[in-house]
Amino acid sequence: MRAFRWVSLVFFMWLTCGSAQAERRVALVIGNSAYKSVPQLANPVNDAALVEGMFKKAGFENVDTRLNLSVVDMRKALRDFGVKARDADVAVIYYAGHGIELDGNNYLVPTDAALETDTDVFDETFPLDRVLFAIEPAKQLRLVILDACRDNPFAKTMKRTVASRAIGRGLAKIEPTSPNTMIAFAAKAGSTASDGDSRNSPFAAALVERLPTPGLDLRKAFGFVRDDVLKNTGYKQEPYVYGSLGGDDVPLIRAKPIATGPQANPLDAIRRDYELALQLGSREVWTAFLAQYPDGFYASLAKGQLSRLGAEEARAAAADKAKQAEYEKARLAAERANKAEQDKAAAAAKAAETAKLAAEKARQTEEAKAATAEQRRKEAEAAVAKALADKQAAEKALADRIANDKALADLAAKQAAEKKATVDSETKVAAVAATAAQPSLTANETTKLLQSELRRVGCLASAADGDWNAPSQRSLTLFNRYAGTKFDTKLASFDALDAIRSRPGRVCPLICERGFRADGDACVKITCRAGYRVNADNECEKIPEKKPIAMGDDSKNRDEQRKQVESAPAKPQATTGQMFCNGAGCRPVRSGCKLVPSGSGLPSGDGRPRGMMEVCG
């Protein structure tokens, strides 16, 4: 029993020390979708639920999830989380919703914010510095993840009290001042992020895929997140991380230590206690063993040993009873007891002998069962030893695979960098367009970007040459008509560029000439089956059959008269035989006309005086 108490004490100390040495990690997850002054967002609440599940599976001690917070609720959530972060080693805040950048500073927008003027930002939103202040007490790692770089509708309707005050797209670049602090943006500073077409945003989906990898450093994990988002958004959205960590790897989930030698089997202590009880072999020892270990394989073995002891005790009791019966029989015989008493004693002796044989048989049966159970115990222990060896081999194989995956990840990152360097000129123009709102671009560059976007939405057919000519102005007029905007078509403005870039697909309809139809972004020729042709409505119709025209009697008479006229000889025409010549050439004098001198002149070489004129009538 002292061995049992010692094992229990060691096990309790191990649990206590293990809990004391574990990292304390806390997380705050905020998802704002139900905005009151602007259209609601679909994904932040879904993204918050997805990230909450990731933190819980990662073993975080406390994960506090808050949805659709007003300014008061958001202030309380940050204050409560700051208290939890004081005793934490790792503190993480994830925010999904609207964010805004004003004069180079970033602010998170609660659901009840109106933001009618630029000065309302200071009263109705929370600066990012307030979020950093909440996680600052954490001892080892401070992490802020912002999925708040969406195209902000507040900036379009907000009135500016100071004309020079800058309201940027997305969020502004930030450099944390506290050590071991990282801030992850869903999109690079100055650009916007996509909310996605599915239930979750591309950024949130990549986070839950990459961050929980055991042993993977956060910097490497966010690098994989960046690659995934770039690929899933057609290289239009690039996540970015600000801040720095030390030289050691900082994973969200630490990798399990790889066993380098034989490890203690958790059943070894129970096995040793079982073997000790087996050596003692008393009913009290087996009862104490079952009180300490009431369940499991060794508990079944102990119950079998108790059954064997019970059978042995029953056999001994039967043997004592038979011995006493024999003694009583001898006594009665010695005392010359009467025959009835002798018969009774003989019957009792026979019954005792029968009971003795039955008890002996039961004892043998229980001993056989105990031997069988002991054999099963040895086989089970051998199986456990083999399973432990297989587990160690599997863990070693896992370590080798992790090393190989790391090498493959480095190779994939290198290939991704090379692929990005070879993107065609059209993709480069789209990448430059992400920051085209900066006023440092020339008028020619702005015009080219605007023409490229007009071509993308199907409103401009000519090339982007930087000349804001009549076709370009007509294309912006078409965009105004189909998009419901009122931009000045005589000027290539930044406002028009931002509005066109916010359109994900074609705006102007594709118009095809007769005989062609629209197929996606191209016109294809309409092909009709045999016997059909394309009509004026660009539809296939059946070609009508030609019916023979019946010839009547009048038409036959006209044909006969025409043949008689053509076969008759031509009638002679009366001519004077004179020729009239001028600068255009010579011809016979017309019937009823004659030549008369127009004045005096010398005779010509053909005998006709010069200056003749034709007189008719």
Side-chain angles (χ1 to χ4, degrees):
M1 293 303 296
R2 286 182 295 179
F4 299 157
R5 289 193 293 270
W6 174 253
V7 171
S8 301
L9 179 60
V10 172
F11 183 73
F12 176 77
M13 292 177 62
W14 176 78
L15 287 178
T16 305
C17 295
S19 300
Q21 294 175 358
E23 287 183 342
R24 187 171 187 272
R25 298 177 294 173
V26 296
L28 173 62
V29 179
I30 300 176
N32 284 348
S33 289
Y35 284 91
K36 299 178 181 179
S37 300
V38 293
Q40 297 187 6
L41 296 174
N43 283 347
V45 171
N46 300 333
D47 295 340
L50 187 66
V51 173
E52 176 192 10
M54 177 192 71
F55 285 136
K56 289 184 177 179
K57 290 181 181 179
F60 273 64
E61 179 178 339
N62 185 285
V63 181
D64 187 10
T65 301
R66 306 290 184 89
L67 303 178
N68 297 322
L69 298 183
S70 63
V71 63
V72 175
D73 295 336
M74 201 164 179
R75 182 180 296 109
K76 184 177 184 301
L78 290 174
R79 182 173 63 248
D80 294 344
F81 186 72
V83 176
K84 297 176 183 178
R86 294 173 188 172
D87 299 327
D89 297 296
V90 177
V92 184
I93 293 181
Y94 171 83
Y95 173 81
H98 275 310
I100 190 170
E101 180 262 316
L102 182 68
D103 288 339
N105 297 317
N106 298 318
Y107 300 87
L108 307 185
V109 183
T111 57
D112 59 347
L115 301 184
E116 296 179 353
T117 64
D118 52 5
T119 57
D120 292 340
V121 173
F122 305 112
D123 300 323
E124 300 178 4
T125 65
F126 280 88
L128 183 56
D129 292 340
R130 175 65 183 88
V131 178
L132 295 175
F133 184 78
I135 65 171
E136 189 174 8
K139 301 177 182 64
Q140 296 180 8
L141 174 65
R142 309 167 188 90
L143 175 62
V144 177
I145 305 175
L146 297 179
D147 195 356
C149 305
R150 297 170 174 83
D151 190 12
N152 196 336
F154 289 101
K156 299 177 181 179
T157 60
M158 184 185 300
K159 297 179 181 179
R160 305 186 185 184
T161 58
V162 179
S164 60
R165 178 164 290 154
I167 301 176
R169 300 177 67 250
L171 299 179
K173 178 180 178 181
I174 182 173
E175 292 296 339
T177 57
S178 300
N180 297 328
T181 302
M182 291 183 67
I183 302 176
F185 284 2
K188 193 174 182 180
S191 61
T192 58
S194 171
D195 211 25
D197 298 328
S198 60
R199 178 179 174 83
N200 297 106
S201 69
F203 182 61
L207 284 176
V208 299
E209 177 71 20
R210 296 295 186 177
L211 261 62
T213 304
L216 182 62
D217 183 64
L218 281 177
R219 288 159 290 198
K220 196 75 172 179
F222 278 111
F224 288 139
V225 170
R226 167 191 172 274
D227 296 342
D228 292 347
V229 174
L230 279 173
K231 180 180 178 180
N232 294 332
T233 60
Y235 292 87
K236 294 180 181 179
Q237 178 182 338
E238 180 183 4
Y240 215 81
V241 177
Y242 300 92
S244 63
L245 302 178
D248 296 334
D249 286 350
V250 183
L252 187 67
I253 301 177
R254 297 193 179 277
K256 295 181 179 179
I258 300 174
T260 58
Q263 295 184 355
N265 189 342
L267 297 178
D268 284 347
I270 305 178
R271 178 180 57 81
R272 287 193 298 269
D273 290 341
Y274 176 82
E275 291 174 351
L276 177 60
L278 189 62
Q279 292 176 6
L280 298 176
S282 65
R283 177 178 291 276
E284 292 77 8
V285 171
W286 289 120
T287 304
F289 183 88
L290 287 173
Q292 182 70 23
Y293 307 109
D295 299 315
F297 175 69
Y298 287 99
S300 299
L301 295 179
K303 293 175 182 178
Q305 294 292 342
L306 275 176
S307 298
R308 184 185 65 80
L309 284 177
E312 178 64 26
E313 291 172 352
R315 184 198 65 78
D320 290 342
K321 190 173 181 181
K323 185 177 180 181
Q324 187 178 0
E326 285 292 337
Y327 176 77
E328 186 66 19
K329 177 182 177 183
R331 185 184 67 79
L332 293 175
E335 294 178 355
R336 296 181 180 182
N338 57 39
K339 187 177 182 300
E341 291 179 350
Q342 289 180 1
D343 293 340
K344 183 178 179 181
K350 184 178 180 180
E353 184 65 24
T354 303
K356 175 184 175 183
L357 293 176
E360 181 66 23
K361 184 177 181 181
R363 182 187 66 81
Q364 293 175 357
T365 302
E366 292 300 332
E367 286 183 349
K369 289 183 179 179
T372 304
E374 186 65 18
Q375 181 64 26
R376 287 171 49 205
R377 176 182 71 86
K378 293 179 180 179
E379 293 175 354
E381 290 176 353
V384 170
K386 183 177 183 302
L388 182 59
D390 294 342
K391 178 182 178 183
Q392 293 175 357
E395 289 178 347
K396 185 176 183 304
L398 176 61
D400 295 339
R401 185 169 65 82
I402 290 175
N404 293 335
D405 290 345
K406 184 176 181 182
L408 292 175
D410 294 339
L411 178 61
K414 181 178 178 182
Q415 291 176 351
E418 294 176 354
K419 181 178 179 181
K420 182 179 179 182
T422 57
V423 176
D424 56 7
S425 59
E426 190 67 21
T427 306
K428 291 180 180 179
V429 171
V432 172
T435 55
Q438 299 178 358
S440 60
L441 297 175
T442 64
N444 184 265
E445 293 173 341
T446 303
T447 301
K448 282 186 176 182
L449 289 176
L450 186 56
Q451 289 174 333
S452 298
E453 290 299 320
L454 287 170
R455 282 173 56 84
R456 181 181 64 81
V457 298
C459 297
L460 179 61
S462 60
D465 54 3
D467 182 13
W468 191 248
N469 47 24
S472 300
Q473 295 178 13
R474 285 194 299 270
S475 67
L476 183 55
T477 301
L478 288 174
F479 179 82
N480 285 336
R481 178 190 305 169
Y482 292 106
T485 56
K486 297 181 179 180
F487 295 111
D488 187 1
T489 59
K490 297 181 180 180
L491 177 64
S493 63
F494 287 107
D495 292 338
L497 180 60
D498 288 341
I500 299 173
R501 282 169 48 195
S502 66
R503 299 287 177 151
R506 171 180 287 275
V507 174
C508 297
L510 181 63
I511 301 176
C512 300
E513 62 183 11
R514 183 178 179 276
F516 291 82
R517 60 179 175 83
D519 185 4
D521 292 336
C523 292
V524 297
K525 187 175 181 180
I526 300 174
T527 304
C528 299
R529 65 177 186 268
Y532 286 78
R533 65 184 178 187
V534 180
N535 60 14
D537 295 330
N538 260 13
E539 296 178 351
C540 292
E541 66 176 9
K542 190 173 182 181
I543 300 175
E545 297 180 357
K546 293 183 179 180
K547 298 180 180 180
I549 301 174
M551 299 295 292
D553 294 339
D554 294 340
S555 60
K556 292 182 180 180
N557 295 335
R558 286 196 298 270
D559 289 342
E560 293 176 356
Q561 293 176 0
R562 178 176 58 79
K563 291 178 181 179
Q564 292 176 0
V565 172
E566 291 176 353
S567 61
K571 294 180 180 181
Q573 295 181 358
T575 60
T576 60
Q578 293 180 321
M579 299 292 295
F580 175 72
C581 297
N582 56 17
C586 297
R587 61 176 174 79
V589 177
R590 290 175 291 183
S591 176
C593 299
K594 62 181 178 179
L595 294 177
V596 296
S598 60
S600 59
L602 298 175
S604 60
D606 57 0
R608 183 170 54 84
R610 298 183 182 275
M612 300 298 291
M613 59 182 296
E614 184 180 24
V615 179
C616 300

